[in-house]
Amino acid sequence: MKIKRSEKMIIFIFIIIIVLPIALIYLLFKLLATPFDYIKYKRSRYQQDFPHKYSWLSEPHFDNAAYTAIKENNLPVEYIKWSEDYNLCGYFVYKDILLDFTEPFFFDEEGKIFLQLPDENKSEETADDETSEEENSDKSLTVEETKELILDGFRNSVPGRECQRIVFFYSRKDVERDYKEEGLNAMRKLDDFIIYEKGELAKVIKAFVDSVEDIQ
């Protein structure tokens, strides 16, 4: 059944009436939040050590939480900012171990496993969503393949340095939000995955460092 032009106009006007107030409220909220975002950005530990010009509604650098936890607690973890590009993540290294806080995996609910989607595939869009999902699943990497990929990336980015192992740190809140209870239980079974509670990032990093020391 075809929709008449007049009906299309009514639908368009109806959408505008609903969307415009919401958009204006959202914009007003963002404007009111700008001073607080600016203060948060400027006071972040990462920003203090690596100054960068503030842009509207900029969030603190992705590395800020881990960087702050390590610096403020004097943990023996080295931070390597390998690129001049402010927005790129650096590397956290303890001895010959990479500490990764980027959360690169997604949970395949059908296979009950964690996979990583290479960056070049994340931006691919096709008209057939199901076909796209199947193609991406075929190209995705396992946990072990992802570990090798990240370790190789470190070798290429930081010449002369090499790490033999990588450990992933995940916030339990984020895991529950992104993967639900099933994913959380599956992650607990993986090697080199550390799940931490809110506000306990420094505590779990220290515990990990101490555990490595005890082994060695």
Side-chain angles (χ1 to χ4, degrees), residues 98-114:
L98 270 182
L99 280 57
D100 192 289
F101 304 90
T102 60
E103 303 183 1
F105 297 95
F106 70 91
F107 184 60
D108 180 3
E109 295 183 358
E110 183 176 348
K112 311 303 179 189
I113 58 175
F114 282 91

Side-chain angles (χ1 to χ4, degrees), residues 11 13 19 25-26 70 144 146 148 174 180 189 192 205:
I11 294 173
I13 293 172
V19 173
I25 292 172
Y26 176 78
I70 289 166
E144 294 305 316
T146 302
E148 288 301 318
D174 291 340
K180 312 304 180 191
K189 298 176 183 178
D192 295 328
I205 296 174

Side-chain angles (χ1 to χ4, degrees), residues 37 49 51 64 69 74 95 99 112 118 123 125 133-134 153 165 168 174 179 182 189 201 208 211 215:
D37 288 333
D49 291 351
N64 179 64
N74 297 314
K95 295 189 174 181
L99 280 57
K112 311 303 179 189
S123 59
E125 294 183 1
E133 185 175 343
E134 291 177 1
R165 178 185 171 195
F168 298 95
D174 291 340
Y179 312 131
E182 189 174 31
K189 298 176 183 178
L201 181 55
F208 170 74
S211 69
I215 293 174

